[in-house]
Amino acid sequence: MRGGLHLGSALATALAIVTAALVIVGLLSAESTEVAAGSDIVLQIVSITIALAVLVGIWNLISVHVGRLIRTRKGWIYSLITLLSAVAVTAVYVMDETASWTGELEGEKLSPRVFEAVQVSIESALAGLIVFFLTYAIYRLLYKRFTWTSILFMVAVAIVLLGWLPLEDDSLVDLREWLMTVPVLAGSRGLLIGIGLGTVIVGIRALTGYDRALREP
Amino acid sequence: MNENEVVLFSLLLLLAFVIMMLAGLLSRALRRVPPLRVISGYTAMPAAVDASVEQARPVHVSPGSVRIGQESTLSALASLAIIYNLVERQAFMDHMPLATVSDPVMLVTVQDALRKAYIERNNRSTYRSNATVWFPQTERSLAFGAGAAGFASDVRAYANILMGQFGSELAYIGETSARHNQIFIGHSTQLEGQAIAYAQSDALLIGEELFVGEAYLNPDKSLDVGGVVALDVLRWVAVAAIILIALNQGAS
Amino acid sequence: MSDNSNFDDMPLPDWLQGGSFEDDEKAKKPPPKQDETPEVLPDWLTADAAPSDEPLDAGDFTSSGAGYGEDGVWREEEELAEPELELPSLEDLTGGVGDTKAQGADYVPDWFLGLEEQNLEEAPDWVQSTSSVSIDDLTDTSAFEAEVPSFESLGMSSQPETTAAQDEEVPDWFASRDAVPDLDFDAAVEEEEEPDWFAGEVEAEPLPDLSMAEEDVLEDVFSDLDLDEEEDIFTFAESDEVEEADAFYTMGGVEDEVTPVEEKPVFQAPQADLSWLDEIERGSSPAIEEDVEEEEFALPELSEEAELAESEFDFLGEAEEGELDFATELDLEDLGFGDEAIEEEAEDVGVFDFGFDIDSKEMEDQLDTASDESLKVERGGTQKLIKDMQTSSLDIEQLLAFEAEQEGAPPPEERGLTALPHTSSLELASEDLFSGLDEDLFESLDPPVGGEGPSLSIAGEDDLDLFGVREQGTPEPRPETAAPQLQPDWIADLRPDVPVNIRAGNLEFEMEQTKIADMPEALRALRERSAALSALSQAEQTQQASPASGPLAGIVGGLGVTEIAEDLESDFQVGAALRVAESQRRQIEFLESALSVVRREAAARREGQVVIPEAVKVRTRARPKLDRIVVSLILLALLIAPFITDGLHLDAFEAPGSDRLLADQRAVHEAVDTLEAGDYVLISFDYGPTAARELNPLAEAVIRDIIKQGGIPLLTGISPLGVLNSRSVLNDLAQDETLLTALNRDDALQPREDYVALNYIPGEAVGIRSLTRSELAGTTLFEVDSEGEETGLNIGELHNEDVAFIVVIGETLDDARRWAEQLNDDDIQKYLLTTAAAEPLIQAYVDDDLAYQGYLAGYRDTYSYNIARNPEALTTDPDSDFDLPNSSLGRWYSLTMGILAVLGFMVLGLIVNLVRRRR
């Protein structure tokens, strides 16, 4: 479907360009100007739209897992658990909001308890597994890439970890302090600056309507 | 933003725009792409996709927790471009890749990118919207990491190519990649995820290299090549500015 | 030039060589003279004609224009070197038919046209050298006047009507046919000798039993064509009338007097020629054990008044369209010979190429005796050979030799069998055009068939008599022909544009070849060199034909299979000659599994089973990695042990006290100390459940201290999850007895009095920015809490006088950066609570007047903060029968052991990989 100018695509691109230009000008303008007010309104509309997009995600989740369940694809049992959990949590939250609990639970709100008991526990457990993954990864780092940068990486990790320990000798603490405030800070700032510059480039591409998302195939 | 910051930001935008256009036009006029330094990640990505085609196995792509409409919007656009190029490379196959996202707006955007890729290859009939899977959101969602890793394992993905915004959840996908002998190419605009990607990834991609993916994967696009040149120029301008300011402050 | 004989004797100069064979054909030839044997056929087509002993060369057929010279380089006309070979005379080329003696009075040769206008002085030397040359002589066309024979001299009663169109279309060598209405085939057969290539028949052998195992498929097939009702050239039914006369295939001339045919000539059945095939089948034994009924065939009776065929090439007679068409679509499958049987046989035999293309239908035509049920193709015999012939890469001689070797029979040449001439199926149809030519010449036209080998040619009854008439009886044995010689280059240059079949495994397709004459010199030289190199022995060729096993089994022409890769058992193979990467090994496994699926499906098809496509199953189950298991177990043990025993509570790693706080950490302590009763502290919960276990205790510690100081925390966040988490923390804290005791109160903390749980801030960075820039945004946030109740807070745009300070609780750098960047132009103090993982990264936003004035990170600072400011908050373990360490201490030392374990494994990995690299 190459070639040709699709009206819908052209209009979408034009709208994106105009809106982006308006927001940029509004952000750069003084707060009392009308352009700034207009950009604020646009941003608020975006926030509301994004909040509604959660419904799209929920629909996708349901459709994907129902599909796996119906076709009994590999891992369908987990899809069944996911769907049942989604239904249960939704029901709990609705009952909380409508004060539908009776008996001993009357007037209670169970959603925070469910959240803490399930969500926090599971996520914390998952976070705890990361230490095993990263330990094995650091153990195998030199197997993947035996380079000076990998060795430097390991040395930096060692200094940070050793400096964290409350040892009697403060030299490692000072070394860690220096490492974090000078090389790590410089490197992280450099990375962030580079990412920022990259976003500028991508922004210009989007402003000129050249971005992939705005083009038809 | 104060007035100085406004001026500096405007100059930055203008400079980037001019350099991008000039470099792109020059590249087109000379019909030559300027020599780009080798980025192992962009060398490995097409090879991984090609190998997945050989193996008749899908590839798993994910932009992570980037979100359209938030501060990671431009990172999302950059990830989207890379995802499109990689998916389009294998879009003649009769199966879909696996795409996982953590933002509902990104869900729709990635679906559209996949659709365009399959249309480009005249293989629209193969496209399925449920090839893009949404996992509950917020950044650094370990549920997303575990879910994406599980899905990639279930579909027997040959390669996991993750470019975007990731936190520690990237470790899950890297771990399952190692366990199931899947190729893992990771990148994150967040420092925590970048560190994990450095330790676990089979090919390196660091920092702003995400934003030049379109040029490396599609070097015949002059404007994308112009963007690479502009990014390099801006980088050197930033270095020069930092040095000058440091010297100025030191002198004062 | 009145003396034609002188003209004929003189060699043609270059500028007279413009006449091609086709041009000569167009010239009408005079009818045969009375005193000569009536020539229905031109001499060169009959056995009488003595072919030139000299081989023809390129000059015979090329024009004098631009062309390839002797060295193969294209030259223009003026550059073309004169051929060194002596040109044959026109008579040699045309057998007297292409004589310049035209049939019509108006005929003049091309070179003569316009001659009268030329200047004699400009004529070539040979013209001027003639004694009696003059323009008048040169322009005298009387020599070209045709001598028109009378019909009476030809024995014709009347002159057949000929049309101008016929005169133009009928080639001159065939034009004399017009005068021959009747043919005496017997006479023709008796008079004419059989052509050399047709002679030399061996003793007739019994026909093989061609009966089919099941049914007469041939009959079924041809029954659709209603052949029984139509005239069949192979099974000649008795007919009183002959509809067409094709004297072209009488294998000879005709008698002077054409008499009606009284007897039906009997033809040798074509399938009688297949005894050589049967020999192959039976083990190359000349003696065929089974008796096969010999079929007799007869030409159709010729009527007295023969009618011309519509086309001079319609030697098949007036067969209706679609019948017996050599381009038929029938194949062996239609004839009931399924691919499975053929493939199985082909597999048993191997893959051979006979070097010529012959479709199965044509072979079936040769075998065809549709009206005779006894002549049936034996399944497994001839079809096997047919399939071999179609798919093999060797010629038929090599096949026969191979068969002989397999069955211990003498090679074909000893059995008096010679190869079929190398020709395509199309050329087979026109094979009769060359009847009468010298056998050597005929063989010299065959392209080489892959090197030396026994030649297999038709001899006598073994020959495939496609279209001709065969004398009944024992034909003379045909002398053995030598193996086909490599033809001269000029013959190869003139090969017709016949597409060549390329076979690769079970794939076959045609490809147009480039004429050798059109090839560049370098390519031609390469071709010659490769032809010389490709003359391999049969044994070598057989051996190289197809590997016996492996992924290339059954595929001919491929490269040899060598074991180039070693399959590694583990990743730590040392000293291996060749290493295969893990990804390569996976690819190899995949390909092998795919090939195994293909083989199974092929085997199922051969057995006639229903093939159910099966997916390639690739083992993706991960192999357990021992080192990973060991690392995980050791790490797990070190993390759990401090909770069980205090043996790992090392004093060296005792938790630091308040005297060891850093300045950034101390700043948080001091900020809380400055709080007064009723001061609001905005606390943003910007972390999710993943960091809850690490940050909840830290948040609880700071909020506890804030409440004890009299401050009122305003809880919010940038996501709904953060707000939920904040409610969870405050719910626990609101009922904490230690806190209530410290506050000297018995009732729990009350929302909207002791703390305010606000809604979350939408839009993340944009929402944060709006707090200090938008009255509406501030009002929306602070006016109503998460329960929908009014808070009583009179806060619009957020300023430093509205809140004492802001505490941002985030787990990543982005969480820290977000508030630092969006509120960096205000005088509101900000403090950060973050994870230990983010601590090194947030340094850029700390110690900055516009960002954070201090921070606390991880469980270390939580423990130290509680020790310094919330001693009552330290966990008091319930009474237990087990002497377990304090959980708070256990947690601290578990953290310490974990760090030490990580350091240890890092060093171990470094050592192990160093050693591995050295090896």
Side-chain angles (χ1 to χ4, degrees):
Chain A
M1 290 181 65
R2 284 189 176 274
L5 179 63
H6 301 273
L7 182 60
S9 174
L11 286 176
T13 305
L15 183 63
I17 294 174
V18 169
T19 307
L22 174 66
V23 171
I24 286 181
V25 172
L27 289 174
L28 297 177
S29 305
E31 297 171 8
S32 60
T33 60
E34 292 179 353
V35 179
S39 67
D40 286 340
I41 293 172
V42 171
L43 291 174
Q44 289 173 13
I45 294 174
V46 169
S47 301
I48 297 169
T49 305
I50 290 171
L52 292 175
V54 176
L55 298 175
V56 176
I58 293 173
W59 172 250
N60 172 268
L61 186 143
I62 293 173
S63 66
V64 166
H65 288 283
V66 166
R68 283 190 7 145
L69 186 63
I70 290 174
R71 299 185 186 92
T72 59
R73 295 263 173 85
K74 183 180 177 183
W76 65 271
I77 188 67
Y78 305 113
S79 296
L80 177 63
I81 295 172
T82 301
L83 291 171
L84 292 176
S85 302
V87 171
V89 170
T90 304
V92 167
Y93 192 81
V94 168
M95 294 181 72
D96 279 349
E97 293 300 316
T98 57
S100 303
W101 296 110
T102 58
E104 294 180 355
L105 298 176
E106 187 172 359
E108 293 286 340
K109 286 188 181 298
L110 293 182
S111 53
R113 297 186 191 180
V114 170
F115 172 77
E116 186 175 359
V118 177
Q119 181 79 10
V120 172
S121 302
I122 291 177
E123 295 256 4
S124 300
L126 291 175
L129 291 176
I130 292 178
V131 67
F132 294 92
F133 303 154
L134 294 181
T135 302
Y136 186 67
I138 199 77
Y139 168 73
R140 292 261 298 176
L141 177 62
L142 292 183
Y143 177 77
K144 276 182 181 294
R145 291 184 296 273
F146 201 97
T147 60
W148 285 111
T149 54
S150 298
I151 295 176
L152 187 62
F153 180 89
M154 295 179 73
V155 170
V157 171
I159 292 175
V160 170
L161 291 177
L162 285 172
W164 189 92
L165 292 173
L167 300 175
E168 290 293 333
D169 188 6
D170 290 341
S171 58
L172 282 174
V173 176
D174 297 336
L175 182 59
R176 177 176 180 266
E177 188 77 16
W178 172 85
L179 188 66
M180 289 197 300
T181 54
V182 180
V184 172
L185 180 62
S188 61
R189 279 180 168 169
L191 269 174
L192 294 175
I193 289 173
I195 290 172
L197 295 176
T199 57
V200 169
I201 300 299
V202 174
I204 291 174
R205 237 169 42 196
L207 282 175
T208 54
Y210 187 74
D211 190 76
R212 176 67 66 179
L214 301 175
R215 279 185 280 165
E216 282 295 322
Chain B
M1 295 172 73
N2 58 34
E3 189 173 334
N4 288 338
E5 290 176 352
V6 170
V7 171
L8 288 173
F9 180 68
S10 303
L11 283 176
L12 185 67
L13 275 183
L14 183 63
L15 180 64
F17 178 79
V18 169
I19 295 174
M20 183 189 296
M21 292 301 161
L22 282 178
L25 290 173
L26 191 63
S27 171
R28 174 173 289 188
L30 296 177
R31 298 188 182 278
R32 189 180 57 175
V33 176
L36 304 177
R37 67 179 174 88
V38 175
I39 297 179
S40 61
Y42 291 126
T43 306
M45 279 186 215
V49 173
D50 295 343
S52 71
V53 170
E54 270 186 30
Q55 298 277 324
R57 290 163 62 179
V59 63
H60 172 216
V61 293
S62 176
S65 57
V66 289
R67 304 174 69 179
I68 297 282
Q70 305 299 330
E71 58 193 21
S72 56
T73 298
L74 294 174
S75 301
L77 294 181
S79 302
L80 207 60
I82 295 175
I83 288 173
Y84 173 86
N85 276 286
L86 296 177
V87 172
E88 193 262 344
R89 195 179 181 90
Q90 56 89 60
F92 59 89
M93 300 288 286
D94 60 351
H95 59 256
M96 289 286 295
L98 172 66
T100 55
V101 296
S102 182
D103 178 50
V105 179
M106 201 61 191
L107 165 70
V108 180
T109 314
V110 170
Q111 285 177 338
D112 185 60
L114 265 58
R115 182 188 63 86
K116 287 178 183 176
Y118 275 80
I119 289 175
E120 182 73 15
R121 285 285 190 163
N122 293 321
N123 196 11
R124 175 65 176 84
S125 58
T126 302
Y127 170 74
R128 296 288 180 270
S129 62
N130 58 2
T132 308
V133 184
W134 174 71
F135 292 95
Q137 56 178 60
T138 71
E139 298 172 356
R140 306 163 297 280
S141 170
L142 289 178
F144 163 74
F151 260 69
S153 171
D154 290 343
V155 302
R156 288 179 52 242
Y158 184 79
N160 294 307
I161 302 175
L162 296 95
M163 310 279 298
Q165 181 172 281
F166 294 90
S168 53
E169 70 270 18
L170 195 63
Y172 271 91
I173 303 172
E175 172 66 16
T176 52
S177 298
R179 202 188 323 159
H180 294 283
N181 295 325
Q182 297 168 329
I183 294 176
F184 176 62
I185 302 173
H187 166 274
S188 174
T189 54
Q190 293 183 337
L191 296 178
E192 303 91 342
Q194 184 64 70
I196 294 173
Y198 182 88
Q200 292 185 319
S201 182
D202 292 325
L204 287 179
L205 210 70
I206 298 176
E208 70 273 15
E209 292 171 352
L210 168 73
F211 304 97
V212 297
E214 184 89 54
Y216 275 78
L217 297 177
N218 215 356
D220 58 341
K221 299 293 183 184
S222 56
L223 196 59
D224 296 325
V225 173
V228 177
V229 176
L231 184 61
D232 268 353
V233 171
L234 290 180
R235 201 183 288 128
W236 283 112
V237 168
V239 168
I242 291 171
I243 293 174
L244 287 176
I245 294 172
L247 290 175
N248 187 27
Q249 286 191 344
S252 61
Chain C
M1 290 282 295
S2 58
D3 188 353
N4 291 338
S5 60
N6 291 337
F7 174 79
D8 289 339
D9 292 335
M10 295 178 66
L12 286 176
D14 296 343
W15 60 275
L16 271 181
Q17 295 180 27
S20 62
F21 181 76
E22 290 75 14
D23 292 338
D24 293 334
E25 280 188 325
K26 292 179 183 176
K28 296 184 177 179
K29 58 179 180 180
K33 299 178 180 177
Q34 277 189 334
D35 55 345
E36 295 179 358
T37 303
E39 292 184 355
V40 177
L41 297 172
D43 292 340
W44 62 273
L45 288 176
T46 63
D48 276 340
S52 169
D53 294 334
E54 297 178 355
L56 299 175
D57 59 28
D60 299 333
F61 300 101
T62 57
S63 65
S64 61
Y68 283 103
E70 290 295 321
D71 54 356
V73 178
W74 179 266
R75 290 195 172 84
E76 297 303 326
E77 181 174 347
E78 59 275 9
E79 299 177 354
L80 190 64
E82 184 174 345
E84 297 177 356
L85 296 177
E86 182 180 351
L87 295 173
S89 64
L90 285 177
E91 191 175 18
D92 292 336
L93 292 174
T94 62
V97 177
D99 206 335
T100 51
K101 296 180 181 179
Q103 294 182 345
D106 298 329
Y107 169 74
V108 290
D110 294 344
W111 56 269
F112 191 80
L113 295 176
L115 193 59
E116 64 278 9
E117 301 175 359
Q118 303 298 322
N119 186 3
L120 183 60
E121 296 178 354
E122 298 177 0
D125 296 338
W126 67 272
V127 176
Q128 299 184 19
S129 62
T130 53
S131 58
S132 57
V133 59
S134 66
I135 288 296
D136 294 335
D137 294 335
L138 290 176
T139 56
D140 180 14
T141 61
S142 61
F144 305 111
E145 291 180 357
E147 186 175 343
V148 182
S150 63
F151 285 99
E152 290 75 12
S153 64
L154 297 177
M156 295 176 60
S157 58
S158 62
Q159 179 177 356
E161 295 180 357
T162 59
T163 61
Q166 281 183 319
D167 291 339
E168 293 177 358
E169 294 174 355
V170 175
D172 56 290
W173 52 267
F174 202 66
S176 57
R177 231 179 38 157
D178 300 342
V180 184
D182 300 321
L183 297 175
D184 183 359
F185 286 95
D186 287 340
V189 170
E190 290 174 0
E191 282 200 10
E192 292 297 328
E193 293 182 9
E194 292 176 337
D196 293 341
W197 64 270
F198 201 68
E201 298 177 346
V202 299
E203 182 176 353
E205 296 166 346
L207 293 173
D209 182 14
L210 302 179
S211 60
M212 286 180 56
E214 296 178 4
E215 56 181 354
D216 187 0
V217 179
L218 284 176
E219 188 174 72
D220 289 340
V221 168
F222 288 99
S223 62
D224 295 333
L225 300 176
D226 295 329
L227 290 178
D228 294 334
E229 302 175 3
E230 299 294 338
E231 182 179 333
D232 187 331
I233 64 164
F234 295 114
T235 59
F236 298 103
E238 296 183 9
S239 174
D240 296 329
E241 296 183 355
V242 176
E243 295 182 351
E244 64 108 8
D246 188 357
F248 185 58
Y249 293 95
T250 60
M251 308 311 298
V254 294
E255 291 180 340
D256 295 342
E257 296 182 1
V258 180
T259 58
V261 175
E262 296 178 359
E263 299 179 8
K264 296 179 298 181
V266 179
F267 295 91
Q268 184 67 40
Q271 53 271 28
D273 304 326
L274 296 176
S275 58
W276 61 275
L277 295 175
D278 186 63
E279 290 179 11
I280 298 170
E281 177 184 322
R282 297 173 191 276
S284 306
S285 169
I288 298 179
E289 301 171 356
E290 301 164 357
D291 295 329
V292 180
E293 183 177 352
E294 186 173 339
E295 277 300 314
E296 295 182 355
F297 297 91
L299 277 177
E301 285 187 281
L302 303 177
S303 59
E304 294 184 1
E305 296 184 356
E307 295 180 358
L308 278 175
E310 293 183 355
S311 167
E312 62 271 24
F313 295 106
D314 190 7
F315 47 81
L316 297 177
E318 292 183 354
E320 291 189 3
E321 290 184 12
E323 287 186 351
L324 302 174
D325 184 7
F326 283 95
T328 181
E329 297 176 0
L330 292 176
D331 57 8
L332 287 178
E333 286 187 356
D334 296 336
L335 302 176
F337 310 135
D339 282 342
E340 57 275 11
I342 295 171
E343 288 177 359
E344 185 176 10
E345 292 155 5
E347 216 173 281
D348 295 338
V349 175
V351 182
F352 300 94
D353 185 10
F354 284 86
F356 65 91
D357 179 27
I358 176 170
D359 59 340
S360 57
K361 180 59 181 72
E362 183 164 346
M363 180 62 77
E364 287 302 323
D365 288 338
Q366 296 168 8
L367 305 175
D368 181 38
T369 53
S371 62
D372 187 0
E373 297 184 359
S374 63
L375 294 174
K376 298 174 184 175
V377 179
E378 180 177 0
R379 189 187 293 273
T382 309
Q383 57 170 314
K384 167 187 169 184
L385 179 65
I386 293 172
K387 187 62 181 177
D388 290 345
M389 293 163 64
Q390 286 182 320
T391 60
S392 72
S393 60
L394 300 178
D395 59 357
I396 191 168
E397 301 96 321
Q398 293 161 335
L399 172 65
L400 294 175
F402 178 83
E403 291 275 6
E405 289 181 3
Q406 295 292 319
E407 303 184 17
E413 60 272 21
E414 298 181 7
R415 294 180 272 120
L417 302 175
T418 54
L420 279 171
H422 182 111
T423 179
S424 70
S425 56
L426 296 176
E427 292 173 344
L428 281 173
S430 58
E431 193 173 1
D432 296 81
L433 291 172
F434 297 95
S435 63
L437 283 178
D438 183 61
E439 181 182 302
D440 291 336
L441 174 62
F442 181 72
E443 289 180 351
S444 68
L445 293 176
D446 297 338
V449 287
E452 299 179 2
S455 62
L456 179 65
S457 62
I458 303 300
E461 293 182 359
D462 295 337
D463 292 348
L464 296 176
D465 184 16
L466 298 176
F467 319 106
V469 175
R470 191 75 60 82
E471 184 179 59
Q472 188 180 16
T474 303
E476 296 178 5
R478 180 188 175 200
E480 281 190 51
T481 59
Q485 302 293 331
L486 283 177
Q487 60 187 356
D489 290 342
W490 61 269
I491 294 295
D493 291 347
L494 299 177
R495 70 181 177 201
D497 291 333
V498 178
V500 66
N501 267 21
I502 295 178
R503 300 181 181 85
N506 290 328
L507 299 177
E508 181 179 341
F509 58 94
E510 288 186 350
M511 194 179 82
E512 293 291 336
Q513 294 191 94
T514 305
K515 281 190 175 179
I516 298 176
D518 296 336
M519 288 184 183
E521 174 60 25
L523 202 57
R524 292 176 70 176
L526 178 65
R527 180 176 175 277
E528 293 168 2
R529 195 162 66 243
S530 64
L533 290 175
S534 64
L536 300 172
S537 64
Q538 182 179 357
E540 291 177 359
Q541 238 177 355
T542 305
Q543 186 178 359
Q544 283 191 354
S546 62
S549 62
L552 297 179
I555 296 176
V556 181
L559 297 175
V561 178
T562 42
E563 297 299 325
I564 62 172
E566 299 175 10
D567 190 15
L568 300 179
E569 297 252 335
S570 69
D571 295 328
F572 290 96
Q573 279 241 346
V574 178
L578 186 67
R579 299 174 63 89
V580 177
E582 184 64 29
S583 61
Q584 291 172 327
R585 178 172 36 192
R586 292 199 298 270
Q587 286 178 319
I588 293 171
E589 288 177 355
F590 174 77
L591 290 174
E592 287 179 347
S593 60
L595 281 173
S596 66
V597 170
V598 171
R599 290 194 200 102
R600 284 198 296 271
E601 290 181 356
R605 286 197 189 93
R606 288 195 297 270
E607 296 170 3
Q609 298 174 0
V610 176
V611 177
I612 300 175
E614 55 176 292
V616 175
K617 296 182 181 178
V618 180
R619 281 193 308 110
T620 56
R621 187 176 57 190
R623 298 179 183 178
K625 294 181 174 57
L626 183 61
D627 54 350
R628 181 167 166 268
I629 295 174
V630 169
V631 168
S632 301
L633 287 176
I634 294 176
L635 186 59
L636 184 64
L638 289 175
L639 289 174
I640 293 178
F643 290 97
I644 300 175
T645 175
D646 55 3
L648 294 177
H649 293 195
L650 304 178
D651 295 336
F653 305 116
E654 187 178 0
S658 59
D659 56 336
R660 299 190 66 181
L661 291 176
L662 298 176
D664 295 328
Q665 298 156 355
R666 196 176 296 111
V668 178
H669 294 230
E670 293 170 356
V672 175
D673 288 337
T674 61
L675 283 176
E676 294 178 357
D679 285 343
Y680 294 119
V681 177
L682 183 61
I683 303 175
S684 178
F685 282 72
D686 295 345
Y687 61 96
T690 55
R693 278 290 179 245
E694 183 176 7
L695 291 179
N696 277 357
L698 182 58
E700 187 179 318
V702 173
I703 292 174
R704 178 193 293 268
D705 197 21
I706 290 173
I707 292 174
K708 285 193 305 183
Q709 292 294 324
I712 299 174
L714 306 178
L715 308 175
T716 185
I718 59 170
S719 69
L721 283 177
V723 172
L724 278 176
N725 200 25
S726 68
R727 277 198 236 167
S728 172
V729 170
L730 261 295
N731 284 340
D732 293 339
L733 201 60
Q735 298 171 5
D736 186 74
E737 292 182 358
T738 57
L739 177 61
L740 295 175
T741 303
L743 294 175
N744 294 320
R745 55 188 291 176
D746 299 326
D747 57 334
L749 299 176
Q750 298 299 317
R752 293 176 292 279
E753 290 182 13
D754 300 307
Y755 66 92
V756 180
L758 302 170
N759 282 313
Y760 80 98
I761 303 172
E764 294 186 354
V766 175
I768 294 172
R769 181 184 178 82
S770 303
L771 287 179
T772 58
R773 286 166 176 76
S774 171
E775 182 78 19
L776 178 63
T779 306
T780 304
L781 177 64
F782 294 108
E783 193 172 36
V784 181
D785 67 356
S786 60
E787 296 177 356
E789 303 292 338
E790 290 189 0
T791 61
L793 295 173
N794 188 18
I795 301 175
E797 286 187 17
L798 188 66
H799 298 290
N800 59 345
E801 59 267 20
D802 294 323
V803 293
F805 52 84
I806 296 175
V807 176
V808 178
I809 310 176
E811 58 179 315
T812 64
L813 175 63
D814 285 340
D815 299 328
R817 185 171 57 137
R818 194 174 296 121
W819 282 89
E821 291 177 349
Q822 299 304 323
L823 297 183
N824 61 355
D825 58 348
D826 296 301
D827 297 330
I828 303 174
Q829 291 187 333
K830 297 179 287 292
Y831 298 91
L832 178 66
L833 306 182
T834 187
T835 59
E839 181 185 2
L841 306 174
I842 53 94
Q843 297 294 326
Y845 298 99
V846 182
D847 298 335
D848 189 342
D849 293 337
L850 298 179
Y852 299 101
Q853 283 68 46
Y855 75 94
L856 295 175
Y859 187 75
R860 179 198 63 193
D861 293 342
T862 303
Y863 190 77
S864 62
Y865 193 93
N866 282 331
I867 288 178
R869 301 181 67 85
N870 300 314
E872 75 280 2
L874 291 177
T875 305
T876 305
D877 298 329
D879 292 335
S880 172
D881 294 335
F882 300 97
D883 185 14
L884 296 176
N886 182 275
S887 59
S888 299
L889 278 177
R891 188 172 180 180
W892 167 257
Y893 285 107
S894 173
L895 188 59
T896 306
M897 286 297 110
I899 291 175
L900 290 176
V902 171
L903 287 170
F905 284 121
M906 197 164 59
V907 173
L908 181 62
L910 177 66
I911 295 172
V912 167
N913 288 290
L914 270 175
V915 171
R916 187 176 63 86
R917 290 275 173 173
R918 279 186 173 275
R919 287 181 181 178

